Amino acid sequence: MAGKTVYSCSVLAIDAQGKNIETIEGLAAGNNLHPISAASSTMTRSSGGYCTSGFVMAAKASIDKHPNPTWRNQARAGW
């Protein structure tokens, strides 16, 4: 939201009003999934569908911030 990664389940609608919101649905280009979304759809996961989109968005934010991540970047991000 407004360029920052936030937990959508903890943001009030009034706080999001007028802000730029990037969602997992917005990552797709037409019928083509974003590479991170496509990769996550082939992985085994134990979480429900609600958290999966959050994981994808957090991964995208991390890669946007560090396009060529080092092991240290990944460790700090919790990957």
Side-chain angles (χ1 to χ4, degrees), residues 13-37:
I14 192 72
D15 293 333
Q17 186 174 352
K19 304 252 177 31
N20 183 31
I21 308 291
E22 185 175 36
T23 65
I24 193 165
E25 295 84 3
L27 296 181
N31 290 330
N32 299 319
L33 292 177
H34 185 278
I36 298 172
S37 296

Side-chain angles (χ1 to χ4, degrees), residues 7-74:
Y7 295 109
S8 61
C9 55
S10 64
V11 174
L12 298 174
I14 192 72
D15 293 333
Q17 186 174 352
K19 304 252 177 31
N20 183 31
I21 308 291
E22 185 175 36
T23 65
I24 193 165
E25 295 84 3
L27 296 181
N31 290 330
N32 299 319
L33 292 177
H34 185 278
I36 298 172
S37 296
S40 76
S41 69
T42 63
M43 302 170 109
T44 303
R45 53 193 171 268
S46 59
S47 68
Y50 293 104
C51 293
T52 303
S53 56
F55 296 149
V56 169
M57 295 304 293
K60 182 185 178 299
S62 180
I63 291 171
D64 286 349
K65 187 173 182 178
H66 302 285
N68 298 301
T70 64
W71 285 107
R72 180 173 284 193
N73 296 137
Q74 293 176 36

